[in-house]
Amino acid sequence: AQSVTQLDSQVPVFEEAPVELRCNYSSSVSVYLFWYVQYPNQGLQLLLKYLSGSTLVKGINGFEAEFNKSQTSFHLRKPSVHISDTAEYFCAVSDSGGGADGLTFGKGTHLIIQP
Amino acid sequence: DGGITQSPKYLFRKEGQNVTLSCEQNLNHDAMYWYRQDPGQGLRLIYYSQIVNDFQKGDIAEGYSVSREKKESFPLTVTSAQKNPTAFYLCASSSMSSDTQYFGPGTRLTVL
């Protein structure tokens, strides 16, 4: 069985400062990793994904994440945040590529941008 | 516009009543999913379907039922057996050859 741990439920950051949202996973098989963003009362939007290849993955809105197999981590980073980045961020894992059997999500990290 | 629609956005029901949430997609995706979201709990998989007329239970299927009579539609019924149905429900779909799930805008169900 897979599981995902997002270590921080809330992360407050000042505008234009860098941010890192942490994600660790556990799985007995090869995994595929995703970060989604959710704005209030909306569905989820894909930020980026790791399937294979380069361990540094670039996504939309200036976000990037690095897959670290030895540490079973997939932390999300942005060098300079904006007020509009305030949202809930979810890390998810699948062992079948597209998550044909469904994705396993972490509990989410609420990113709070302070002016 | 291609996408996933869920209706209604807000839904109120009395305790003991069954209620059906709609999910429609025009992306020609084979697979569709239902997730439940509770504050601080992330998303949990209720049911999924990879092909018409077939579906599988997810992690929290008890108290829910689904049907997949058409490729575009995957309605979820929250039955009176579901002990705590108040939540935000999200529908998603994906192509079997793709690696990305696309999500609808969600339905917030409140049982009074």
Side-chain angles (χ1 to χ4, degrees):
Chain A
Q2 304 154 341
S3 67
V4 177
T5 302
Q6 291 185 243
L7 297 163
D8 305 298
S9 59
Q10 283 192 110
V11 173
V13 182
F14 287 107
E15 195 172 14
E16 297 184 7
V19 68
E20 177 180 85
L21 305 184
R22 297 180 292 170
C23 173
N24 287 88
Y25 67 92
S26 66
S27 176
S28 58
V29 298
S30 295
V31 294
Y32 305 88
L33 295 154
F34 306 81
W35 274 100
Y36 282 86
V37 61
Q38 184 181 36
Y39 299 102
N41 292 312
Q42 294 186 25
L44 274 65
Q45 180 183 5
L46 181 71
L47 273 178
L48 49 79
K49 60 192 177 190
Y50 171 80
L51 303 183
S52 64
S54 173
T55 57
L56 182 63
V57 180
K58 293 191 184 297
I60 62 170
N61 300 341
F63 284 94
E64 64 181 33
E66 185 155 19
F67 171 60
N68 188 321
K69 188 174 182 179
S70 63
Q71 296 187 4
T72 60
S73 68
F74 191 54
H75 301 332
L76 181 70
R77 301 186 183 101
K78 186 170 182 177
S80 176
V81 295
H82 189 264
I83 285 284
S84 60
D85 292 323
T86 297
E88 193 84 17
Y89 291 80
F90 292 97
C91 182
V93 64
S94 157
D95 65 0
S96 58
D101 297 339
L103 297 171
T104 299
F105 284 86
K107 294 187 177 182
T109 297
H110 188 196
L111 179 59
I112 302 166
I113 309 300
Q114 301 167 328
Chain B
D1 278 331
I4 302 174
T5 57
Q6 292 185 243
S7 60
K9 189 166 180 64
Y10 299 95
L11 190 54
F12 296 88
R13 279 293 182 271
K14 291 184 178 179
E15 193 172 343
Q17 289 181 333
N18 290 355
V19 60
T20 297
L21 282 59
S22 166
C23 177
E24 305 276 334
Q25 54 98 1
N26 61 4
L27 300 168
N28 199 32
H29 286 168
D30 298 296
M32 297 186 74
Y33 312 83
W34 274 105
Y35 293 89
R36 171 185 170 133
Q37 183 178 18
D38 296 282
Q41 294 298 315
L43 281 72
R44 292 177 289 170
L45 183 65
I46 305 173
Y47 267 99
Y48 63 101
S49 167
Q50 296 178 354
I51 194 170
V52 173
N53 293 322
D54 188 42
F55 46 83
Q56 284 76 43
K57 293 182 179 180
D59 301 319
I60 56 165
E62 186 176 348
Y64 299 97
S65 66
V66 293
S67 62
R68 187 87 187 276
E69 296 177 4
K70 297 186 299 182
K71 187 176 183 178
E72 312 82 57
S73 178
F74 191 40
L76 173 74
T77 297
V78 184
T79 75
S80 56
Q82 168 50 234
K83 297 198 186 317
N84 186 18
T86 294
F88 191 49
Y89 291 88
L90 287 157
C91 179
S93 71
S94 69
S95 167
M96 295 302 283
S97 61
S98 173
D99 48 37
T100 302
Q101 287 190 16
Y102 295 88
F103 283 80
T107 292
R108 187 167 299 280
L109 173 65
T110 302
V111 175
L112 305 171

